Amino acid sequence: MLRRIVWHTDKRCLWKMIYNLGVKGAFGFNRFQRRLKKGEFFPAFHFISVTDDCNLHCQGCWVTGKEKNNRMEPEMLNQIISETKAMGSYFFGILGGEPLLYKPLLDIFRKHSDCYFQLFTNGTLLTPSVAEELRRCSNVTPLISFEGDEQVADIRRGGKDIYRRTNDAIEVATGAGLFTGVAMSVCKSNLELALSPEFINGLIRKNVAYLWYYIYRPVGENPSMELALSKEEIHKLRQFMVDARLKFDIVIVDAYWDENGNGLCPAASGLSHHINAAGYVEPCPVIQFSADRVGEKPLDELYRSSTFLKSLRQEIPQKTSGCILMENPDWVVEIAEKHAAIDTSGRGNETERLRKMAPVPSHGSAAPVREKSWMYRFAKKKAFWGLGAYG
């Protein structure tokens, strides 16, 4: 696996990944841990939605149906990155909408060449020219969403010819020498594909470096509750990932379980929080309530003073090791109202939607499955990416 990744990744991209993500990431995570021991808080990573604009209309997307799409001002984005770097953290997840629709994006990557960015993209705009620009930046790993086969992808993503366009994007990215990942939001309609050895081997043949599985969460204008996995299906997915790590020459990432198979919540752990395109700081992308906004005060002061985020970190672990939004949507509304957190969904009806939402199983609902691979056990215990930093 390492030989394949080293051979097919552009050497400057490989160096930036090792140094900006690996070395700096390890130091940043250690600083995060030291802050916690001193009773201080600032997240280890930020996930930032730079725009609500998108060229698709996916099931379960949190940005659809907004009354007005927001686009983050470059000055605000630079502020977030600069203030986070000052706290010793250099890794950022860049989300949308579709972030490749955000015109200042490449300039941001170039300006902050000392950082490492994970670009969450549907891939339809990842042209050879864009891939070449990302290669020149060298500090970006595209994470391309793969949501189903020819029959499923168009329905899941609300577009046309998505399966072919996604495969084309993967080949363009790996062909440019980018350290490339593929992500799948696993739901009932693509579970069979997710568990298919043919699917994984196909990614390996395309020289994909890592595969990230996460569980479908019913949110947004079209939550499609019928796609949520059952407890048995979640357990099946978890068991498959543990076994697959010993079989396939590709890194398999999950966001939700520790080395012993116990559930994790990035927001509850404080490892990461989400900043939406309007600048509101949210616990995670799917909990669309906020009591704090970038620009009102410096970020370190914002996190020190936010009683809303602090209460979530304290109270969620007492209720679940899984996703509180899926398991107890009523409680999310209650704590938001308690702290006068506003609805940041852009639809104006998130409180009403969650009060009507029936609970569904999450990763905390399934029986624990312990990691078999010593490498993954070590990574999940020590390395930042394995401790639920990705949400």
Side-chain angles (χ1 to χ4, degrees):
M1 176 175 63
L2 291 176
R3 284 197 302 269
R4 181 174 64 84
I5 292 172
V6 169
W7 181 259
H8 291 283
T9 303
D10 175 86
K11 297 306 177 281
R12 191 159 181 265
C13 291
L14 187 64
W15 165 247
K16 287 276 190 175
M17 186 271 293
I18 292 171
Y19 184 67
N20 286 13
L21 176 64
V23 177
K24 286 186 173 181
F27 281 113
F29 182 66
N30 286 335
R31 291 186 69 172
F32 166 75
Q33 290 180 311
R34 290 198 299 269
R35 286 194 294 268
L36 290 182
K37 289 179 181 178
K38 293 189 293 185
E40 301 171 356
F41 176 75
F42 192 95
F45 311 100
H46 275 117
F47 288 86
I48 308 168
S49 290
V50 294
T51 182
D52 293 329
D53 296 331
C54 191
N55 58 335
L56 299 179
H57 197 88
C58 301
Q59 295 168 314
C61 175
W62 61 78
V63 301
T64 56
K66 289 177 177 278
E67 295 175 3
K68 177 186 177 183
N69 282 358
N70 291 294
R71 301 166 195 87
M72 184 173 287
E73 292 294 331
E75 294 78 13
M76 177 179 285
L77 182 53
N78 278 310
Q79 176 192 346
I80 295 167
I81 295 172
S82 297
E83 292 187 14
T84 303
K85 288 196 294 186
M87 299 298 291
S89 297
Y90 292 84
F91 174 78
F92 300 87
I94 303 298
L95 301 82
E98 170 49 54
L100 287 176
L101 287 170
Y102 183 69
K103 293 182 179 180
L105 188 63
L106 291 171
D107 290 336
I108 295 293
F109 293 157
R110 296 186 193 101
K111 181 173 183 177
H112 297 280
S113 61
D114 55 341
C115 294
Y116 200 77
F117 300 92
Q118 187 173 46
L119 177 66
F120 292 67
T121 176
N122 61 42
T124 59
L125 303 178
L126 189 52
T127 62
S129 61
V130 170
E132 175 59 20
E133 288 298 323
L134 295 178
R135 188 194 66 78
R136 291 175 181 172
C137 292
S138 304
N139 60 341
V140 184
T141 172
L143 181 62
I144 301 168
S145 297
F146 200 112
E147 296 302 318
D149 57 19
E150 294 94 330
Q151 287 73 42
V152 173
D154 285 0
I155 298 172
R156 281 282 292 113
R157 311 239 63 176
K160 292 185 177 181
D161 201 19
I162 300 301
Y163 177 79
R164 180 193 60 79
R165 293 162 72 187
T166 302
N167 277 297
D168 288 349
I170 294 170
E171 292 178 356
V172 164
T174 57
L178 301 178
F179 186 73
T180 303
V182 165
M184 180 180 287
S185 176
V186 184
C187 62
K188 287 187 182 297
S189 65
N190 63 22
L191 179 62
E192 184 178 350
L193 178 65
L195 305 182
S196 165
E198 292 75 21
F199 168 62
I200 298 180
N201 282 324
L203 298 180
I204 294 171
R205 287 193 295 271
K206 290 183 174 69
N207 292 311
V208 172
Y210 63 101
L211 171 60
W212 177 17
Y213 289 114
Y214 51 100
I215 293 173
Y216 177 83
R217 300 183 183 191
V219 296
E221 178 190 32
N222 178 24
S224 301
M225 299 290 294
E226 70 280 0
L227 294 179
L229 298 177
S230 68
K231 186 187 302 185
E232 293 74 23
E233 289 167 332
I234 293 171
H235 185 271
K236 187 176 181 180
L237 173 64
R238 169 64 181 164
Q239 185 68 63
F240 175 81
M241 288 190 294
V242 168
D243 294 337
R245 285 170 172 145
L246 298 174
K247 297 178 181 178
F248 298 100
D249 293 334
I250 188 171
V251 177
I252 296 179
V253 180
D254 70 71
Y256 305 126
W257 293 280
D258 66 15
E259 72 276 13
N260 294 314
N262 299 311
L264 288 165
C265 171
S269 69
L271 278 163
S272 66
H273 286 310
H274 175 248
I275 302 176
N276 75 8
Y280 286 102
V281 182
E282 301 167 337
C284 69
V286 298
I287 297 182
Q288 296 183 293
F289 293 98
S290 177
D292 309 278
R293 191 168 186 264
V294 175
E296 295 175 349
K297 59 185 74 172
L299 273 181
D300 60 339
E301 183 181 340
L302 183 153
Y303 284 117
R304 285 199 306 270
S305 62
S306 177
T307 57
F308 176 53
L309 294 173
K310 183 177 181 179
S311 293
L312 286 165
R313 293 193 300 271
Q314 292 175 338
E315 296 185 39
I316 289 176
Q318 299 174 23
K319 296 182 176 296
T320 180
S321 62
C323 175
I324 191 69
L325 184 83
M326 298 172 72
E327 296 182 18
N328 197 341
D330 277 340
W331 183 85
V332 175
V333 172
E334 291 170 8
I335 195 166
E337 291 179 340
K338 177 181 176 181
H339 291 275
I342 65 170
D343 178 351
T344 51
S345 69
R347 295 178 295 273
N349 65 346
E350 191 66 358
T351 294
E352 179 185 357
R353 185 186 77 82
L354 291 181
R355 288 205 185 279
K356 294 178 179 178
M357 176 178 164
V360 294
S362 81
H363 59 282
S365 307
V369 179
R370 190 171 185 266
E371 292 291 343
K372 296 178 180 179
S373 165
W374 70 266
M375 182 179 70
Y376 282 92
R377 285 199 303 272
F378 177 82
K380 282 176 169 286
K381 193 172 183 179
K382 297 293 184 182
F384 52 89
W385 64 262
L387 286 166
Y390 296 117

